[in-house]
Amino acid sequence: MDELANRTAQEVLDDHLSLAQARKIDEDLERNYAEDCVVLTVRGQYRGHAGLRELADLLGKEVRDAEYKYVLKLVEGRFGYLEWTADDGNVAIHDGADSYVIENGKIVMQTIHYTLNVRDPARM
């Protein structure tokens, strides 16, 4: 795993997004997130891999089998920024935005923002 520590922020973010698209949550956490990472969202603060699993489960319940599109990805030094959308036919996200702090080949801090746009609340 020493080679993972030498990755650039760009390499970490690319690996994270690839594994996220493939829905390989456990592999993504192991490879790309520090065990003590902090994630800030409108829903609160989450810590570590357990917090990230909780957030992944929440998003999976809110937007089932969605197609995710990465609209804009920027990396500068140890910082990353991502704009994204998702749509599962009933729930759409048009304003997804994540920011990242990456150190020693791992994401140590992330912010996540998105708004759910529900077409048919009865199908939630």
Side-chain angles (χ1 to χ4, degrees), residues 58-117:
L58 177 62
L59 183 60
K61 290 175 184 171
E62 292 173 336
V63 186
R64 297 176 181 95
D65 297 319
E67 178 181 349
Y68 289 82
K69 294 183 181 171
Y70 303 138
V71 179
L72 175 67
K73 180 176 59 172
L74 301 171
V75 176
E76 179 65 36
R78 65 188 185 116
F79 304 107
Y81 175 76
L82 175 71
E83 289 184 359
W84 54 275
T85 64
D87 196 324
D88 73 359
N90 184 49
V91 178
I93 297 170
H94 305 290
D95 64 347
D98 296 6
S99 60
Y100 303 86
V101 177
I102 301 165
E103 297 175 349
N104 300 316
K106 300 275 186 169
I107 299 165
V108 297
M109 194 270 185
Q110 180 177 357
T111 65
I112 304 172
H113 167 80
Y114 61 90
T115 305
L116 297 175
N117 298 285

Side-chain angles (χ1 to χ4, degrees), residues 13-27:
L13 191 54
D14 287 346
D15 192 37
H16 160 60
L17 297 177
S18 176
L19 291 169
Q21 281 285 38
R23 292 176 170 69
K24 295 182 177 181
I25 301 301
D26 289 332
E27 186 176 350

Side-chain angles (χ1 to χ4, degrees), residues 20 27 47 54 56:
E27 186 176 350
R47 296 185 180 282
E54 184 179 343

